[in-house]
Structures are given as structure tokens and as C-alpha cells.
Amino acid sequence: MYVLINFVCMKTDEIKTEIHPLEPFFPQGARLLMMGSFPPKRERWKMDFYYPNFQNDMWRIFGLVFFDDKEHFLTADKKSFCEQRIRDFLIRQGIALTDSGREVVRQKDNASDKFLEIVRKIDLSDVLRQLPHCVATVSYTHLTLPTNSLVSIS
């Protein structure tokens, strides 16, 4: 049997799904929810947290924006990110993190959204119920919601 996944034909016995390895990060009182798509393969990680790939500039950008220092979230040896410093910052700022994909198929051996097929998405309504103080969401991917989806925050 064959299935069509984003115009890539694969035998079904070759399809391997991945379950998201991280729990959502929902600090109490979070007012902003940031959503990506799905983390890279674990061998690229420098920490067990969101945006773990050292090639990803997310935490450098946050360092520049909030501290005028792109190295603010780096470890002393500058070879990794300081997970605890990032977590403390997000808690202070009221920022929650999750990814839109809970289960995916990687069509290529990378984390590019272009080659991710989301098999199971988060339930955004449920997520927002868990974040009663959330007033805004930011998405870093077109994979977060279908284009016809609207979510009411009340």
C-alpha cells in the first residue's frame, strides 16, 4: 500500500512518525503563547528545551532584544544555551512555549517545516484553556493552524 504525503509517495511500512519529545512550557500567569512547529532531531540538541539547536538564532535574538547581548543565553563556554536562564526569563516575562505538531513525519532528515507532515496537531482551544491569562499568540510557522481556523479567547 502507498500513501501520498505532501506529494511524496511512500510505502506505508516505511512511514515513521515521531512524537513530540517535550512537554509544553506553560508558566503560571503566562500572557503570551509562542508556537513553533517541531524540534530538530535530538542529535542536534544542545539542551532539553525549545529551540535547542545551536544553529537556531531564537535565543540570540531574544538576548539582543531584551538584553542588548546576543550571547546572554549562552553558557560560559559559549557552546550551548543555558536552559535555566532561558526558563527563568520566560517565567518572568510570562511567555509560554509549545509546538503545533504533537506527532509528525519527517519527509527529509531535517526539521525544516517544508519537509514536515504534521500527523497530529495540538488542540489550540485546549491549550488556551490551560493559559487563562494568555492575551496573544505568536506563531513561527505556517503549520500552526489551518488557514480556516479561528480560536476565540474569552
Side-chain angles (χ1 to χ4, degrees):
M1 176 182 211
Y2 290 84
V3 294
L4 189 64
I5 300 177
N6 275 358
F7 308 109
V8 175
C9 194
M10 303 172 71
K11 289 177 74 173
T12 55
D13 58 353
E14 294 173 2
I15 296 174
K16 294 186 175 126
T17 63
E18 291 180 51
I19 304 296
H20 201 293
L22 298 171
E23 291 297 318
F25 179 75
F26 293 165
Q28 187 173 11
R31 297 176 45 79
L32 173 67
L33 171 61
M34 292 177 32
M35 293 179 289
S37 54
F38 200 81
K41 289 192 165 201
R42 191 169 284 276
E43 66 241 20
R44 300 195 189 285
W45 291 22
K46 292 292 185 177
M47 63 177 173
D48 289 325
F49 197 61
Y50 288 85
Y51 307 98
N53 186 338
F54 201 63
Q55 303 304 312
N56 188 308
D57 286 327
M58 168 67 85
W59 302 121
R60 290 179 189 85
I61 292 168
F62 268 54
L64 276 172
V65 169
F66 288 92
F67 302 99
D68 197 30
D69 177 9
K70 71 179 183 178
E71 297 179 351
H72 181 80
F73 292 112
L74 299 184
T75 55
D77 65 6
K78 301 192 185 325
K79 293 183 179 180
S80 187
F81 298 111
C82 181
E83 180 181 339
Q84 192 58 55
R85 190 176 307 138
I86 291 168
R87 285 176 177 271
D88 292 346
F89 163 79
L90 294 170
I91 290 167
R92 281 193 312 276
Q93 295 299 318
I95 300 173
L97 299 176
T98 194
D99 286 328
S100 59
R102 296 313 302 161
E103 185 175 1
V104 304
V105 173
R106 290 186 202 272
Q107 297 172 348
K108 294 203 174 184
D109 195 31
N110 62 40
S112 170
D113 286 359
K114 184 176 178 180
F115 302 111
L116 277 182
E117 175 74 21
I118 295 188
V119 175
R120 188 169 43 96
K121 291 184 178 192
I122 61 166
D123 179 338
L124 189 54
S125 294
D126 181 56
V127 166
L128 292 172
R129 278 190 288 279
Q130 295 176 59
L131 298 168
H133 302 288
C134 184
V135 295
T137 62
V138 176
S139 174
Y140 294 101
T141 176
H142 69 282
L143 299 174
T144 301
L145 293 171
T147 54
N148 63 350
S149 291
L150 292 176
V151 175
S152 173
I153 300 175
S154 47

